[in-house]
Amino acid sequence: MYVRVKNLNGTAKYKPNHNNSWIEGWERVSGRKSFLCSKYGCDSLKNVVGAHVQRADTNDGKWYIVPLCINCNNKKSTEEFWVPLKNLVPVSEINK
């Protein structure tokens, strides 16, 4: 199942509580290794980072981390795209 998300721009100043990087926190909580961009239609294996996103298909207001390549992570917050639901990890779970 895929969900629509949009990037949260300007979040580079935020650091995770228990990890060196957001992608490490995503890997710890999800129990999986990140090596591929999560954006539907992008198959980049290069420079995958833990990107801050919000769901565009709901008003829950939560912030999530999802693996994205640098190019997809640099999309404007007005651009919506699809990612697998299973790849969304709430920031609150990483910061526990």
Side-chain angles (χ1 to χ4, degrees), residues 2 35-48 67-73 75 81-84 87:
Y2 284 81
F35 57 88
L36 181 67
C37 183
S38 295
K39 180 184 175 199
Y40 180 78
C42 181
D43 57 3
S44 179
L45 300 170
K46 295 182 180 180
N47 301 318
V48 176
L68 292 178
C69 69
I70 295 288
N71 275 351
C72 292
N73 187 38
K75 302 280 184 198
F81 52 95
W82 297 89
V83 299
N87 286 4

Side-chain angles (χ1 to χ4, degrees), residues 26-90:
W26 181 91
E27 289 175 342
R28 178 180 55 82
V29 172
S30 72
R32 295 179 283 145
K33 285 289 190 186
S34 64
F35 57 88
L36 181 67
C37 183
S38 295
K39 180 184 175 199
Y40 180 78
C42 181
D43 57 3
S44 179
L45 300 170
K46 295 182 180 180
N47 301 318
V48 176
V49 299
H52 290 83
V53 298
Q54 279 187 311
R55 288 184 64 168
D57 59 351
T58 182
N59 291 325
D60 72 4
K62 291 181 183 177
W63 288 20
Y64 298 91
I65 299 297
V66 66
L68 292 178
C69 69
I70 295 288
N71 275 351
C72 292
N73 187 38
N74 287 333
K75 302 280 184 198
K76 294 180 181 177
S77 62
T78 55
E79 296 180 48
E80 296 179 1
F81 52 95
W82 297 89
V83 299
L85 177 61
K86 69 179 183 178
N87 286 4
L88 292 180
V89 173

Side-chain angles (χ1 to χ4, degrees), residues 12-27:
K13 61 187 172 194
Y14 299 109
K15 304 297 178 205
N17 291 345
H18 305 290
N19 300 92
N20 292 330
S21 69
W22 288 109
I23 200 65
E24 288 176 10
W26 181 91
E27 289 175 342

